[in-house]
Amino acid sequence: MDDFVNLICPNSPSVWDGNRLSKCFGNIVLGFGANAVTIVMIAVLGINQRTGKRSLRMNFLEKFFFLFLPAIGACISFLDIALLLKKAHHGFFIAHHEWFFRCSQFASWTLIILFSKCFNGCYIFCNRILCFWWIVKLLLGTLHLLTAYPPFQVLLCVKEICTVSLDIIFGVSINIIRIKQASYKRSSLEDSLLSADTDVEEGCLNESGDTQSYFDLMTFRSITSVMNHGVTKQLDFEDLLQLPTDMDPCSCHDTLLSCWQSQQSSCPDPSLFRAICCAYGWPYIRLGLLKVLNDCVGFAAPLLLNKLIRFLQQGTESWDGYVLAISLGLISIFKSFLDTQYSFHLSRLKLKLRSSIITVIYQKCLYINLAERSKFTEGEIQTFMAIDSDRTVNLCNSFHDMWSLPLQIGVALFLLYTQVKFAFVAGIAITISLIPVNKWISTLIASATVKMMKQKDERIRRTGELLTYIRTLKMHGWELLFSSWLMETRSLEVMHLTTRKYLDAWCVFFWATTPTLFSLFTFGLFALMGHQLDAATVFTCLALFNTLISPLNSFPWVINGLIDAIISIKRLSRFLSCSQHKSKLETTAGSSSPYFSNDKSEIFHEDKAVVFDDSCFAWSSSDEKDLDLVLKHVTLGIPKGSFIAVIGEVGSGKSSLLNSILGEMRLVHGSVYSCGSIAYVPQVPWILSGTIRDNILFGKHYDPKRYLDTLEASALDLDISLMVGGDMAYIGEKGINLSGGQRARIALARAMYNGSDMFILDDVLSAVDAQVARCILYNAILGPLMKQQTRVLCTHNVQAISSADTIVVMDKGHVKWVGRSADWPVSSYSVFSPLNEIDICLKNESQECSAVEDIHVESQQNLVLEKDTVPASDRTQEIIEVEARKEGRVELTIYKNYATFSGWFISVVICLSAILMQASRNGNDLWLSNWVDATRSSRKEYSTSFYLVILCIFCIVNSILTLVRAFSFAFGGLRAAVKVHDTLLKRLINAPVQFFDQTPGGRILNRSSSCFCYCHSGISTANFRSTSRELRRLDSVSRSPIYTSFTETLDGSSTIRAFKSEDLFFARFTDQVKLYQQTSYTELTASLWLSLRLQLLAAFIISFVAVMAVIGSHGSLPINFSTPGLVGLALSYAAPVVSLLGSFLTSFTETEKEMVSVERALEYMDVPQEELHGSQSLHPSWPYQGQIEFQNVTLRYKPSLPAALRDISFTIEGGMQVGFIGRTGAGKSSVLNALFRLTPICKGCILVDSINIASAPIRDLRGHFSVVPQTPFLFEGSLRDNLDPFQLSDDLKIWKALERCHVKEEVEAAGGLDIHLKESGMSFSVGQRQLLCLARALLKSSKVLCLDECTANVDTQTASIIQKTISSECRGMTVITIAHRISTVLNMDSVLVLDHGILVEQGNPQVLLENESSRFSSFAKASTM
């Protein structure tokens, strides 16, 4: 073996020659070995793929790379062989390893040419394995170049560089061509499946940039048109770049989802991380190889700098200096392209991953049922979308950096060893000593992050709760209480954020001071070891130190990012692992056998729409073991085409029975079977932001006849005809600009138009008045559009119960009785009516239909727009205003405001410390330059110790300034974040209700959920700044609909699942994500366009400085370039300018873009404010009697709209109980809006106990009234806090109030006053929640009690009991009731009838009943409630 080695490598070490890898090793292993593997792979692939493959189309440039580059390579290799032959001919000894390497190189290029011409070369060279191998070959070639580059043999170096460059260019080319061809094949496959609109799709593909030239791709020229528009006008979404096809959110979603599903099927504990690796692992690994090359090229500049300074020190006049100077510039140019391409492709991958994650989260929310979702709060789920998805995406940066940064540090340390020998151990000691410190800090940061995220979830949940129920909170005067609770959560979040930020500051301090300490200890030890410092050594080391700065400073952030990503991935994995809603005809519990096991049973139940067999259900997730059964052992069959009325007392399980049919509950025991499609109308109607038509169609095709029939049947035709814009009028978020009755009827119309096999209707009649309820019952539920289908109605409406084919009576989760309506003793369920309404109904049912038609015609003359608050207005803009977007540069006042929030003193400290810190660094380097010049000129005036002491002083000063800068940055950012959030919250809670009516909650949440912790610095250019600002604004605007849509979907997911509309909403969401993706992609391209040009400019500066230094060293210039120390200093500062100049400008533009977030937050600090202060203070016991007097009151919601109240006057004496009735939209709720000053009145005044309420402080005023809203409001927290939020009552008083409201037993069964209510009090039924709200109002003991149809969602018996409770318990109190049921107001002292905002009748209800011509009498006769 030794003989063979001596034969191959005579007179040469086989591996190491003492300084570097030996030439023999480089030629045999790195050269010949790599070429041999290449030859074998090409031959094997060529033989295997020479048949059965059609030719792929290649453009001219691709053919050039396949033929011309190999030809050049072959020529250079042949020239090498000719030179070797010439040397051998002249008697020189040529080692065998030289022949092996040169011949194998020629053979590989020749084989490439041969296979490109004779076989289908594109298939061979675009093979995935060969493409990967060529990247490996590039690295081997780079190592071989190092072995073939002895000092100052520049021409030889140039030739070798050309040889390796051909490998690099060819390797990059075939990888690009392979990707393009793969894309072409996919598009070709899609083209064959496209229909007649192929041209449109192809046009879209061409615009997407998939067919751009290499030059355009490398230089980002596609952004030029966008930037031209950005300078001349405000950018719009149509000006953005088209997304590449592989970045489409649908394809990204499918990629990740398939990998996640395979994880779920193959692993008991599925991991989102493994799914991400499966989906995007290979492209990510390829990027890693590009990063390796980029990092390696980064070290070429310090090495060339070393050789150039040594050249300048020697003062020779050869051409080597020019070659080295130009090479320094070329290396910078090459690295510029590598940097930007790596950043571009990594960012593209991050955008694809972000799109994948948020679409998968959204789809999960569409399919996970309410029971399974109960283990997550709504705020937590919103955090998954807003925070955790971004942190998971940032894993792309952190994961590569985890191996790249240590590699860069390691290579830098090795190169330092070559310069200063073992003196670099001092630097290693500094680095190693910081590792345990860094680990300890990282552990603390991880702990603080987990705690911070928990509080952030809670804060977002509380913010969402406050925004959702702001109207109710203002009526109770609780907005300050809720904001204080939110602030408590925020303070805990800020506490953990502060811990994290200050720990980050320590990280910054330790790692930022490391290079300075490094230079001090390394040069100090090197000098003390007796070595002489020279310019080449010092400034090469300084260049290496500068190279170390970035990885050293980045490392703690990388670790923190990795920790955040790991935590977020675990959270997302837990959410995505939840079991999904089963869209099956049959569902069985656990592992029990299916209910239907034989053909006979299927035949027996083929006429059934729904069958329950001993079914038990719970509102708990599959993880919970302690089950609280809500439905117990239900056995029930619902025939197809029948009308089923589900009745029962409050909390008996009616709504739960309907949800069990929908699959929203957890089936614990037994089975449930359902067939056919389902349309669902929930008890609290779910309304989409959009037009009325969009809400009714719900993605279905528009059929004019069916649509008009639906509007008529649901009594919506007149409402819509009176709206400005008709059915194209825009509905605000959650139907905020509609009344409860209109929301219910739109939800019903949606179900009717859908035309499903079964209708699940949860108490749809309670939200409308008696006449409209009759219209809906006979024209809709019993009408032609629904009569043939199965209808399951949960109701307290006696007429609907009487009309049902089957009645199901629920009692405490059990089915108590099932039978025909004729067999059911209706009188036992209904309340005795003096009008004998039920008898009228039953005796005259044959005449009822025609009577209803007459009533409907009459109502069309009287019905006005239902909303007593904000009617639908001029088209879209007047209801939901388009999100504002400022134009032009970020104003200076924004920066001044942010500096004010941070504190001017801190802002000055930040700027000064940053400047002085950099100055101390520069002083440190300048002192080193002076030291080496003094050493070189042998005029050393001071001892080595003196130079070291001064260097040490610079180091200490730099460390102190770095510490000050780090902590002042952290303190200033935190202070600004706290002040911006607190000020924004204060302004929002003081805003009038109209602001929230016109602004979607998702938009507010988007602006208020940021931390506003931004601190950057930099410079800018006009073109890029104007474009980047507009792109960031577009980015913010495109993000808001995602949050709004996501929040909306969370609220209505059960309705979406019932209608099987998951695909419709997913498509709508992906369109919004696509727009957001398109904005981000354009913003990315714009930033890299700038970065590339700045780096190319910096490369020119480097070349210019280097060439001028060489010319000056020859004495060819009239000016003197001073000492080699100063030249070295200039060159060592010129090298990092490549990255510093780019980051400098990028930081400034990033600051400006981040300031857009502050700008948007500050916009909401200028929202209109309520008049909080009054001229007259209120006594704690006011009102004394409760007398209310309206004097000529007129109220408009907008100047452009008709008056909701028209010059009305009335007086309610203290202690009276008064009811307001009228058609929906008559102005009933407007009376309460005026009384509570939710909307300012235009004219007149309102007196309470002779005090004009306009002069009273608004919160004091509302706090002295009690109110029970139409939609019950319970917040997350203990039941005691819900009933007595200010903790003014003892438990005995609370229990007594619950007993008076007949809900004491249910509370005791649920666990007492300390039970924790989930969001919206979902653990109680809607009726029970209404009773709890009534108990809360009674506890307040106010002289004025306002009830906005608080008995709408309870059964008739309970409603009667509540009325008796109010009559007996509220004596001496003024009670104002907004009523739909006539029975609600029959026993009151007075009734006021409103119509079109005008008071048309007032008097005692019994007296008015006797007068047949009175309006109240006509209402009573029409009512069957």
Side-chain angles (χ1 to χ4, degrees), residues 784-835:
L785 291 176
M786 297 174 68
K787 195 163 189 178
Q788 303 302 317
Q789 283 81 26
T790 308
R791 291 142 292 161
V792 182
L793 172 67
C794 170
T795 187
H796 303 299
N797 186 310
V798 179
Q799 188 169 346
I801 296 169
S802 305
S803 305
D805 301 322
T806 304
I807 296 174
V808 177
V809 182
M810 299 297 297
D811 182 32
K812 297 180 180 178
H814 296 277
V815 176
K816 184 177 181 181
W817 187 87
V818 180
R820 295 180 302 165
S821 58
D823 301 332
W824 170 244
V826 180
S827 59
S828 67
Y829 186 75
S830 64
V831 180
F832 173 74
S833 170
L835 297 177

Side-chain angles (χ1 to χ4, degrees), residues 284-458:
Y284 192 63
I285 290 172
R286 289 206 306 266
L287 280 174
L289 295 173
L290 181 60
K291 185 165 180 60
V292 171
L293 177 62
N294 188 26
D295 292 344
C296 292
V297 170
F299 289 103
L303 295 177
L304 287 170
L305 178 63
N306 176 272
K307 295 187 179 298
L308 182 59
I309 294 176
R310 291 196 185 279
F311 170 82
L312 295 174
Q313 283 179 329
Q314 292 174 358
T316 59
E317 296 190 3
S318 68
W319 288 92
D320 289 354
Y322 293 105
V323 174
L324 287 169
I326 294 171
S327 298
L328 197 60
L330 292 176
I331 283 292
S332 299
I333 292 172
F334 184 48
K335 191 170 188 320
S336 300
F337 282 104
L338 287 178
D339 270 337
T340 51
Q341 286 302 308
Y342 172 74
S343 299
F344 176 67
H345 289 287
L346 180 66
S347 299
R348 269 190 55 166
L349 186 64
K350 287 170 62 179
L351 289 176
K352 289 162 69 174
L353 181 57
R354 181 183 70 180
S355 175
S356 302
I357 291 174
I358 62 176
T359 50
V360 167
I361 292 172
Y362 183 82
Q363 188 183 52
K364 191 70 180 181
C365 292
L366 285 175
Y367 286 98
I368 185 174
N369 65 22
L370 297 180
E372 193 66 25
R373 206 179 83 189
S374 63
K375 58 185 175 184
F376 304 99
T377 66
E378 189 165 320
E380 196 173 357
I381 296 174
Q382 287 173 338
T383 307
F384 293 153
M385 178 71 78
I387 307 297
D388 291 302
S389 58
D390 283 342
R391 290 187 169 174
T392 303
V393 167
N394 288 334
L395 181 70
C396 293
N397 293 76
S398 303
F399 204 71
H400 270 330
D401 288 340
M402 276 301 293
W403 60 262
S404 171
L405 298 182
L407 174 67
Q408 293 178 54
I409 293 170
V411 173
L413 291 177
F414 171 75
L415 294 175
L416 281 170
Y417 166 75
T418 63
Q419 298 297 317
V420 293
K421 303 304 177 185
F422 286 103
F424 87 101
V425 172
I428 290 182
I430 294 293
T431 306
I432 293 176
S433 65
L434 287 177
I435 290 176
V437 176
N438 188 60
K439 184 178 183 301
W440 176 64
I441 291 176
S442 298
T443 304
L444 294 177
I445 288 174
S447 174
T449 301
V450 172
K451 294 175 183 175
M452 185 191 73
M453 289 303 299
K454 184 178 179 182
Q455 296 303 325
K456 193 178 187 74
D457 290 344
E458 178 66 10

